[in-house]
Amino acid sequence: MEEQVFFMPRIGEKAPEFKATTTQGEINFPDDYKGSWVIFFSHPADFTPVCTSEFMTFATMEKAFNEANCKLLGLSVDGLYSHIAWLRTIKDKIKYKKMKHVEVTFPLIEDITMDISKKYGMIMPGESSTKAVRAVFVIDPKGFIRTIIYYPLSLGRNFDELYRVIIALQTADAFNIATPADWRPGDDVIVPTAGSCGAAKERMESKDEMRCYDWFFCTKKLEKSLINKKIIKNK
Ligand code: BEZ
């Protein structure tokens, strides 16, 4: 049997373009999203339990993402009418944890042909050749891919982590810093590594706001209120 080869977009590349039919009308991606961050994610199938728990959680957090200038965009290889029926069922019938009457108002793409999911490397035949895996693409306001995360069919995503990714990427851009392991707003951030022997010496001897673990690893404080002011609407 001929082996199928699937294209995988990579971090740092322009998000592949497509036109699509969604539960909120037609979209032209990424042009329609210029100026916003986007979380473009796939799920395996409508009317399935893990996906239902994910959509309810994501929809409940949508306002917080929007306030961080981030729009949500979903996809599965199901058709439009299946999407509509599933979202209506979620709203009318499903109570899960403390969530009920959850309305999914972000667009959900139909991709029966799998054209878009193949373009984004969302089909992983070792997992399923007929369903998308749980892929997450974080795309910046200029249309560049900034983060990619993949989960298998059985593993529901952690949406607090996706929110952390959005805030961390925007903080890194806005303050020219990097974020260490498990960083959360309010934790110390990493300053760019010294680029010369002189700068390295200066840092190690400096008594200013920086804390250096060694010349290549220095952190500084960055108040959560400063991040909120710059990044989050209404803060
Ligand atoms: C689910 O969302 O529950 C699911 C979907 C496809 C395969 C396995 C689980």
Side-chain angles (χ1 to χ4, degrees), residues 67-86:
E67 285 177 353
N69 188 29
C70 177
K71 294 181 175 164
L72 310 179
L73 177 62
L75 169 149
S76 85
V77 302
D78 296 288
L80 184 64
Y81 298 129
S82 164
H83 285 345
I84 293 170
W86 179 45

Side-chain angles (χ1 to χ4, degrees), residues 44-45 48-52 131 134 153-154:
T48 51
V50 179
C51 299
T52 300
K131 295 177 176 65
R134 300 182 199 282
L153 303 185
S154 64

Side-chain angles (χ1 to χ4, degrees), residues 2 10 12 32 45-46 73 94 127 151 207 212 215:
E2 197 183 314
R10 291 171 292 196
D32 290 350
D46 299 343
L73 177 62
I94 311 287
E127 185 75 344
Y151 296 72
K207 299 262 179 300
C212 287
W215 68 269

